[in-house]
Structure formats: structure tokens, C-alpha cells
Amino acid sequence: MLAIARLRPKYFWIAAYLLLACWSFWPVANVLIANIVARLFDCRLSEGGPLPCHAFGHDISHPLYVLATSFWLALTTVPTGVPLILLLGIVHICITLVRRHRSRGRKERD
């Protein structure tokens, strides 16, 4: 039971880092996905509006347009997410150092 209790903070930190990474870089990933799909189906992307793009008998121009223009969202998410990731890293390091210091003090007293 103690081993499970010790693993929970580890999963918390992993989840927190992943959540902030997704927040920061998801719009950039959307643009990359849009460019890959457009290249696969020989389509053009424009910020001015959706251009015709047919794949498997369907027009996928609007979803590609939404994905491609999500780069503008990255102007908000990257500048807010990267400092939050760094702040989380500092907090993580401080908490880890305090826990190690306390555990060393307990070992010396025993």
C-alpha cells in the first residue's frame, strides 16, 4: 500500500506536465496535421478562407481551414504555457528538494 501512495505524486507531476504541454503546443500540432493532410491530397491552404479540397469523395476544405488557422490560437497558448511549464518545473524541484531534506533528517534521527 505504501508503494502505491508513493507513486501517486509521480503521476500527478507527469499529468501536470502533459496537460501544460498539450495546452501549449496543441495549436502548433493542428497546423502540422493540416499541412500534412493538405500535402497528401494535393490541396492548398489559405488563411483567407477554405479552398476546395476533396479526399475520398468528400470536401474537407473547412476542417483543414480550421486546423490551419488554429495557429493564431498558438499566439496565446505558447506564451502562457511555456512559462507555466517552467514554473511547474521550479515548484516540482523545490518540493522534491524539501522532501529529500526532510527524509534525510528522519534517517539521521533514527
Side-chain angles (χ1 to χ4, degrees), residues 13 90-106 109:
W13 292 112
I90 292 169
V91 169
H92 186 189
I93 289 169
C94 289
I95 289 174
T96 303
L97 291 174
V98 167
R99 285 183 178 168
R100 285 185 184 172
H101 180 70
R102 286 183 181 172
S103 68
R104 284 183 188 161
R106 288 180 191 153
R109 280 186 260 152

PDB file of all heavy atoms in Angstrom, residues 13 90-106 109:
ATOM      1  N   TRP A  13       2.678  14.724 -11.262  1.00  0.00           N
ATOM      2  CA  TRP A  13       3.612  15.585 -11.980  1.00  0.00           C
ATOM      3  C   TRP A  13       3.614  15.280 -13.466  1.00  0.00           C
ATOM      4  O   TRP A  13       3.650  16.201 -14.298  1.00  0.00           O
ATOM      5  CB  TRP A  13       5.022  15.456 -11.398  1.00  0.00           C
ATOM      6  CG  TRP A  13       5.123  16.009 -10.010  1.00  0.00           C
ATOM      7  CD1 TRP A  13       5.342  15.319  -8.861  1.00  0.00           C
ATOM      8  CD2 TRP A  13       4.981  17.383  -9.626  1.00  0.00           C
ATOM      9  NE1 TRP A  13       5.343  16.162  -7.792  1.00  0.00           N
ATOM     10  CE2 TRP A  13       5.122  17.438  -8.227  1.00  0.00           C
ATOM     11  CE3 TRP A  13       4.748  18.554 -10.317  1.00  0.00           C
ATOM     12  CZ2 TRP A  13       5.045  18.630  -7.523  1.00  0.00           C
ATOM     13  CZ3 TRP A  13       4.669  19.742  -9.610  1.00  0.00           C
ATOM     14  CH2 TRP A  13       4.816  19.773  -8.242  1.00  0.00           C
ATOM     15  N   ILE A  90       9.981  24.455 -11.539  1.00  0.00           N
ATOM     16  CA  ILE A  90      10.607  25.036 -10.349  1.00  0.00           C
ATOM     17  C   ILE A  90       9.910  24.538  -9.085  1.00  0.00           C
ATOM     18  O   ILE A  90      10.566  24.157  -8.104  1.00  0.00           O
ATOM     19  CB  ILE A  90      10.597  26.578 -10.435  1.00  0.00           C
ATOM     20  CG1 ILE A  90      11.542  27.040 -11.545  1.00  0.00           C
ATOM     21  CG2 ILE A  90      10.962  27.215  -9.101  1.00  0.00           C
ATOM     22  CD1 ILE A  90      11.416  28.497 -11.903  1.00  0.00           C
ATOM     23  N   VAL A  91       8.576  24.525  -9.100  1.00  0.00           N
ATOM     24  CA  VAL A  91       7.820  24.035  -7.938  1.00  0.00           C
ATOM     25  C   VAL A  91       8.125  22.566  -7.690  1.00  0.00           C
ATOM     26  O   VAL A  91       8.332  22.144  -6.543  1.00  0.00           O
ATOM     27  CB  VAL A  91       6.307  24.268  -8.148  1.00  0.00           C
ATOM     28  CG1 VAL A  91       5.481  23.534  -7.107  1.00  0.00           C
ATOM     29  CG2 VAL A  91       6.000  25.749  -8.130  1.00  0.00           C
ATOM     30  N   HIS A  92       8.196  21.780  -8.768  1.00  0.00           N
ATOM     31  CA  HIS A  92       8.498  20.352  -8.654  1.00  0.00           C
ATOM     32  C   HIS A  92       9.872  20.138  -8.024  1.00  0.00           C
ATOM     33  O   HIS A  92      10.045  19.315  -7.117  1.00  0.00           O
ATOM     34  CB  HIS A  92       8.415  19.712 -10.035  1.00  0.00           C
ATOM     35  CG  HIS A  92       8.564  18.243 -10.032  1.00  0.00           C
ATOM     36  ND1 HIS A  92       8.694  17.526 -11.183  1.00  0.00           N
ATOM     37  CD2 HIS A  92       8.612  17.313  -9.044  1.00  0.00           C
ATOM     38  CE1 HIS A  92       8.818  16.243 -10.887  1.00  0.00           C
ATOM     39  NE2 HIS A  92       8.776  16.099  -9.596  1.00  0.00           N
ATOM     40  N   ILE A  93      10.856  20.877  -8.489  1.00  0.00           N
ATOM     41  CA  ILE A  93      12.210  20.754  -7.947  1.00  0.00           C
ATOM     42  C   ILE A  93      12.245  21.167  -6.475  1.00  0.00           C
ATOM     43  O   ILE A  93      12.858  20.488  -5.642  1.00  0.00           O
ATOM     44  CB  ILE A  93      13.209  21.586  -8.781  1.00  0.00           C
ATOM     45  CG1 ILE A  93      13.411  20.928 -10.148  1.00  0.00           C
ATOM     46  CG2 ILE A  93      14.537  21.745  -8.059  1.00  0.00           C
ATOM     47  CD1 ILE A  93      14.170  21.790 -11.135  1.00  0.00           C
ATOM     48  N   CYS A  94      11.572  22.262  -6.135  1.00  0.00           N
ATOM     49  CA  CYS A  94      11.561  22.718  -4.738  1.00  0.00           C
ATOM     50  C   CYS A  94      10.902  21.693  -3.827  1.00  0.00           C
ATOM     51  O   CYS A  94      11.435  21.388  -2.744  1.00  0.00           O
ATOM     52  CB  CYS A  94      10.837  24.055  -4.626  1.00  0.00           C
ATOM     53  SG  CYS A  94      11.751  25.427  -5.340  1.00  0.00           S
ATOM     54  N   ILE A  95       9.767  21.152  -4.240  1.00  0.00           N
ATOM     55  CA  ILE A  95       9.081  20.148  -3.421  1.00  0.00           C
ATOM     56  C   ILE A  95       9.942  18.897  -3.279  1.00  0.00           C
ATOM     57  O   ILE A  95      10.046  18.322  -2.189  1.00  0.00           O
ATOM     58  CB  ILE A  95       7.695  19.824  -4.011  1.00  0.00           C
ATOM     59  CG1 ILE A  95       6.767  21.022  -3.794  1.00  0.00           C
ATOM     60  CG2 ILE A  95       7.107  18.564  -3.391  1.00  0.00           C
ATOM     61  CD1 ILE A  95       5.421  20.889  -4.451  1.00  0.00           C
ATOM     62  N   THR A  96      10.589  18.481  -4.346  1.00  0.00           N
ATOM     63  CA  THR A  96      11.460  17.299  -4.293  1.00  0.00           C
ATOM     64  C   THR A  96      12.633  17.530  -3.344  1.00  0.00           C
ATOM     65  O   THR A  96      12.974  16.647  -2.547  1.00  0.00           O
ATOM     66  CB  THR A  96      11.972  16.946  -5.705  1.00  0.00           C
ATOM     67  OG1 THR A  96      10.852  16.729  -6.564  1.00  0.00           O
ATOM     68  CG2 THR A  96      12.844  15.712  -5.687  1.00  0.00           C
ATOM     69  N   LEU A  97      13.244  18.706  -3.413  1.00  0.00           N
ATOM     70  CA  LEU A  97      14.373  19.006  -2.524  1.00  0.00           C
ATOM     71  C   LEU A  97      13.938  19.064  -1.062  1.00  0.00           C
ATOM     72  O   LEU A  97      14.652  18.576  -0.176  1.00  0.00           O
ATOM     73  CB  LEU A  97      15.037  20.319  -2.938  1.00  0.00           C
ATOM     74  CG  LEU A  97      15.796  20.280  -4.267  1.00  0.00           C
ATOM     75  CD1 LEU A  97      16.289  21.676  -4.628  1.00  0.00           C
ATOM     76  CD2 LEU A  97      16.944  19.294  -4.208  1.00  0.00           C
ATOM     77  N   VAL A  98      12.783  19.645  -0.788  1.00  0.00           N
ATOM     78  CA  VAL A  98      12.283  19.705   0.590  1.00  0.00           C
ATOM     79  C   VAL A  98      11.995  18.302   1.104  1.00  0.00           C
ATOM     80  O   VAL A  98      12.346  17.959   2.248  1.00  0.00           O
ATOM     81  CB  VAL A  98      11.025  20.596   0.679  1.00  0.00           C
ATOM     82  CG1 VAL A  98      10.312  20.427   2.014  1.00  0.00           C
ATOM     83  CG2 VAL A  98      11.397  22.058   0.459  1.00  0.00           C
ATOM     84  N   ARG A  99      11.379  17.463   0.293  1.00  0.00           N
ATOM     85  CA  ARG A  99      11.096  16.087   0.717  1.00  0.00           C
ATOM     86  C   ARG A  99      12.377  15.307   0.975  1.00  0.00           C
ATOM     87  O   ARG A  99      12.459  14.548   1.936  1.00  0.00           O
ATOM     88  CB  ARG A  99      10.252  15.366  -0.336  1.00  0.00           C
ATOM     89  CG  ARG A  99       8.815  15.798  -0.335  1.00  0.00           C
ATOM     90  CD  ARG A  99       8.021  15.003  -1.332  1.00  0.00           C
ATOM     91  NE  ARG A  99       6.627  15.413  -1.282  1.00  0.00           N
ATOM     92  CZ  ARG A  99       5.731  15.070  -2.166  1.00  0.00           C
ATOM     93  NH1 ARG A  99       6.069  14.280  -3.177  1.00  0.00           N
ATOM     94  NH2 ARG A  99       4.491  15.478  -2.065  1.00  0.00           N
ATOM     95  N   ARG A 100      13.377  15.475   0.133  1.00  0.00           N
ATOM     96  CA  ARG A 100      14.656  14.781   0.352  1.00  0.00           C
ATOM     97  C   ARG A 100      15.334  15.270   1.620  1.00  0.00           C
ATOM     98  O   ARG A 100      15.901  14.486   2.381  1.00  0.00           O
ATOM     99  CB  ARG A 100      15.574  14.974  -0.846  1.00  0.00           C
ATOM    100  CG  ARG A 100      15.182  14.146  -2.026  1.00  0.00           C
ATOM    101  CD  ARG A 100      16.178  14.274  -3.138  1.00  0.00           C
ATOM    102  NE  ARG A 100      15.716  13.532  -4.302  1.00  0.00           N
ATOM    103  CZ  ARG A 100      16.294  13.572  -5.469  1.00  0.00           C
ATOM    104  NH1 ARG A 100      17.383  14.311  -5.643  1.00  0.00           N
ATOM    105  NH2 ARG A 100      15.826  12.874  -6.475  1.00  0.00           N
ATOM    106  N   HIS A 101      15.271  16.571   1.850  1.00  0.00           N
ATOM    107  CA  HIS A 101      15.884  17.119   3.056  1.00  0.00           C
ATOM    108  C   HIS A 101      15.192  16.584   4.309  1.00  0.00           C
ATOM    109  O   HIS A 101      15.850  16.217   5.280  1.00  0.00           O
ATOM    110  CB  HIS A 101      15.831  18.645   3.023  1.00  0.00           C
ATOM    111  CG  HIS A 101      16.439  19.301   4.211  1.00  0.00           C
ATOM    112  ND1 HIS A 101      17.793  19.294   4.446  1.00  0.00           N
ATOM    113  CD2 HIS A 101      15.876  19.969   5.249  1.00  0.00           C
ATOM    114  CE1 HIS A 101      18.038  19.931   5.573  1.00  0.00           C
ATOM    115  NE2 HIS A 101      16.890  20.354   6.084  1.00  0.00           N
ATOM    116  N   ARG A 102      13.868  16.523   4.284  1.00  0.00           N
ATOM    117  CA  ARG A 102      13.128  16.001   5.429  1.00  0.00           C
ATOM    118  C   ARG A 102      13.392  14.517   5.645  1.00  0.00           C
ATOM    119  O   ARG A 102      13.505  14.065   6.781  1.00  0.00           O
ATOM    120  CB  ARG A 102      11.621  16.216   5.236  1.00  0.00           C
ATOM    121  CG  ARG A 102      11.203  17.650   5.421  1.00  0.00           C
ATOM    122  CD  ARG A 102       9.719  17.786   5.290  1.00  0.00           C
ATOM    123  NE  ARG A 102       9.300  19.166   5.450  1.00  0.00           N
ATOM    124  CZ  ARG A 102       8.082  19.598   5.236  1.00  0.00           C
ATOM    125  NH1 ARG A 102       7.136  18.759   4.840  1.00  0.00           N
ATOM    126  NH2 ARG A 102       7.784  20.860   5.405  1.00  0.00           N
ATOM    127  N   SER A 103      13.481  13.753   4.548  1.00  0.00           N
ATOM    128  CA  SER A 103      13.734  12.312   4.709  1.00  0.00           C
ATOM    129  C   SER A 103      15.145  12.060   5.229  1.00  0.00           C
ATOM    130  O   SER A 103      15.371  11.128   5.996  1.00  0.00           O
ATOM    131  CB  SER A 103      13.502  11.559   3.398  1.00  0.00           C
ATOM    132  OG  SER A 103      14.476  11.911   2.448  1.00  0.00           O
ATOM    133  N   ARG A 104      16.108  12.875   4.858  1.00  0.00           N
ATOM    134  CA  ARG A 104      17.467  12.731   5.397  1.00  0.00           C
ATOM    135  C   ARG A 104      17.491  13.039   6.887  1.00  0.00           C
ATOM    136  O   ARG A 104      18.182  12.397   7.654  1.00  0.00           O
ATOM    137  CB  ARG A 104      18.434  13.657   4.663  1.00  0.00           C
ATOM    138  CG  ARG A 104      18.810  13.168   3.306  1.00  0.00           C
ATOM    139  CD  ARG A 104      19.816  14.085   2.665  1.00  0.00           C
ATOM    140  NE  ARG A 104      20.027  13.713   1.287  1.00  0.00           N
ATOM    141  CZ  ARG A 104      20.550  14.496   0.379  1.00  0.00           C
ATOM    142  NH1 ARG A 104      20.921  15.728   0.709  1.00  0.00           N
ATOM    143  NH2 ARG A 104      20.716  14.081  -0.852  1.00  0.00           N
ATOM    144  N   GLY A 105      16.718  14.051   7.302  1.00  0.00           N
ATOM    145  CA  GLY A 105      16.643  14.390   8.712  1.00  0.00           C
ATOM    146  C   GLY A 105      16.024  13.268   9.524  1.00  0.00           C
ATOM    147  O   GLY A 105      16.453  12.976  10.639  1.00  0.00           O
ATOM    148  N   ARG A 106      15.030  12.604   8.965  1.00  0.00           N
ATOM    149  CA  ARG A 106      14.410  11.478   9.663  1.00  0.00           C
ATOM    150  C   ARG A 106      15.364  10.294   9.761  1.00  0.00           C
ATOM    151  O   ARG A 106      15.404   9.595  10.775  1.00  0.00           O
ATOM    152  CB  ARG A 106      13.137  11.048   8.930  1.00  0.00           C
ATOM    153  CG  ARG A 106      12.004  12.019   9.081  1.00  0.00           C
ATOM    154  CD  ARG A 106      10.786  11.539   8.342  1.00  0.00           C
ATOM    155  NE  ARG A 106       9.781  12.589   8.279  1.00  0.00           N
ATOM    156  CZ  ARG A 106       8.876  12.702   7.355  1.00  0.00           C
ATOM    157  NH1 ARG A 106       8.821  11.814   6.377  1.00  0.00           N
ATOM    158  NH2 ARG A 106       7.993  13.673   7.379  1.00  0.00           N
ATOM    159  N   ARG A 109      17.936  10.922  12.503  1.00  0.00           N
ATOM    160  CA  ARG A 109      17.400  10.812  13.867  1.00  0.00           C
ATOM    161  C   ARG A 109      17.190   9.364  14.271  1.00  0.00           C
ATOM    162  O   ARG A 109      17.262   9.046  15.445  1.00  0.00           O
ATOM    163  CB  ARG A 109      16.067  11.550  13.954  1.00  0.00           C
ATOM    164  CG  ARG A 109      16.247  13.044  14.119  1.00  0.00           C
ATOM    165  CD  ARG A 109      14.944  13.718  14.346  1.00  0.00           C
ATOM    166  NE  ARG A 109      14.554  14.280  13.030  1.00  0.00           N
ATOM    167  CZ  ARG A 109      13.322  14.483  12.634  1.00  0.00           C
ATOM    168  NH1 ARG A 109      12.312  14.175  13.406  1.00  0.00           N
ATOM    169  NH2 ARG A 109      13.064  14.994  11.470  1.00  0.00           N
TER     170      ARG A 109
END
